[in-house]
Amino acid sequence: MSVAIMQPYFFPYLGYFQLVQAADDFVFYDDVMFIKKGWINRNRILMQGKEFLFTIPLEKQSQNKTIRESTVAWGPEFPGKFIVQLESAYKKAPQFNQVMPLIRALFTEQPESMAELAGKSIELVWQYLGLEKRFHYSSELADNQADGRAERLIHITKSLGASQYINALNGQSLYEKDFFASHGIELFFIKPSLQPYSQGKLASFEPGLSMIDVLMWNEPAVIVAMLKNFSLE
């Protein structure tokens, strides 16, 4: 049994979903500090053939708030303006009529917490693809937050009955396999692979965009195959 733990991002890029695919249990790390100008509430789509950075607006934010405590600023700008942007960007994409209603339904719920909105966006994709996964929020798990960073990841992994922990590749500079092994946990790092797909009339493939772009241009069966295109180190 394996566990992956990551901050919840709003419709993150394909590599994030490959991390979800790699683990038996996936934990949204929502009770850690919110990092401004990160990818929790921002991502990129294609707008008229060019990269466009969108941002989910938040109520007055501070570095002292966790992701769970960060609240979405619902109003006339969001989601209204964002929906118009998505419709303009992807109205000619082959999966637009299947994907757009899902995004609208997510916004209809209007969860207060950014963590919940981001987490729901990921679970929504999983359900749309017809896949199953055990999702958790770290704020709802009984674990020792007084532990160090690596120790807490180990504790969460063990609390879910797993003996393997899978981390993003950039975690190689933070975590040592020997340290995890000394605590009875096998540590792996995921190396994602982002294969090109058609993005309409775009001359060259633009990788690493929000999952929204992947959903709009690809059928579910094709995306499921994409999710398995990674390696563990």
Side-chain angles (χ1 to χ4, degrees):
M1 298 292 290
S2 58
V3 170
I5 304 169
M6 180 66 72
Q7 294 92 332
Y9 295 171
F10 180 78
F11 282 111
Y13 88 121
L14 179 63
Y16 187 112
F17 285 90
Q18 290 176 341
L19 178 61
V20 177
Q21 170 68 26
D24 296 299
D25 288 79
F26 191 86
V27 179
F28 296 121
Y29 212 18
D30 67 324
D31 55 357
V32 294
M33 290 298 117
F34 182 95
I35 300 174
K36 291 184 177 181
K37 296 184 179 180
W39 295 106
I40 295 170
N41 66 322
R42 306 193 310 161
N43 215 309
R44 302 174 301 136
I45 58 173
L46 287 177
M47 182 76 73
Q48 298 178 347
K50 297 181 180 180
E51 177 186 313
F52 175 79
L53 179 68
F54 69 79
T55 302
I56 306 303
L58 302 176
E59 300 290 353
K60 189 175 181 181
Q61 191 64 24
S62 78
Q63 287 289 96
N64 297 320
K65 285 186 177 181
T66 65
I67 304 171
R68 168 63 59 179
E69 294 168 335
S70 302
T71 54
V72 180
W74 297 100
E77 289 291 312
F78 183 79
K81 183 178 179 180
F82 183 58
I83 289 176
V84 171
Q85 290 171 334
L86 287 181
E87 291 175 339
S88 174
Y90 293 108
K91 60 185 177 183
K92 295 183 179 179
Q95 303 303 313
F96 175 82
N97 290 333
Q98 288 71 40
V99 174
M100 200 64 216
L102 299 176
I103 298 175
R104 287 181 175 273
L106 173 66
F107 292 151
T108 299
E109 296 182 23
Q110 293 196 3
E112 180 180 4
S113 169
M114 185 62 226
E116 187 176 355
L117 177 63
K120 283 181 177 293
S121 77
I122 295 163
E123 294 188 62
L124 180 73
V125 172
W126 220 249
Q127 294 164 6
Y128 171 71
L129 297 177
L131 300 173
E132 296 184 357
K133 184 68 57 177
R134 294 188 293 269
F135 288 101
H136 314 268
Y137 287 87
S138 60
S139 60
E140 299 173 354
L141 297 176
D143 70 284
N144 185 2
Q145 294 191 38
D147 287 336
R149 182 163 50 189
E151 288 86 352
R152 190 179 182 209
L153 298 178
I154 291 169
H155 189 95
I156 292 174
T157 300
K158 287 184 175 181
S159 73
L160 293 172
S163 59
Q164 296 180 340
Y165 172 63
I166 304 173
N167 201 84
L169 193 62
N170 58 12
Q172 289 179 320
S173 62
L174 300 173
Y175 306 118
E176 295 288 339
K177 288 194 173 190
D178 288 346
F179 181 79
F180 276 70
S182 69
H183 288 76
I185 298 296
E186 193 173 9
L187 172 61
F188 293 95
F189 297 97
I190 187 170
K191 185 177 182 179
S193 178
L194 307 181
Q195 295 297 313
Y197 55 86
S198 173
Q199 294 172 317
K201 297 181 180 180
L202 197 66
S204 60
F205 177 65
E206 184 66 38
L209 299 176
S210 166
M211 192 63 170
I212 292 173
D213 190 79
V214 179
L215 293 169
M216 290 291 187
W217 292 109
N218 298 278
E219 295 181 353
V222 174
I223 301 175
V224 170
M226 290 179 181
L227 295 179
K228 301 174 183 178
N229 197 14
F230 63 84
S231 60
L232 295 178
E233 299 181 352

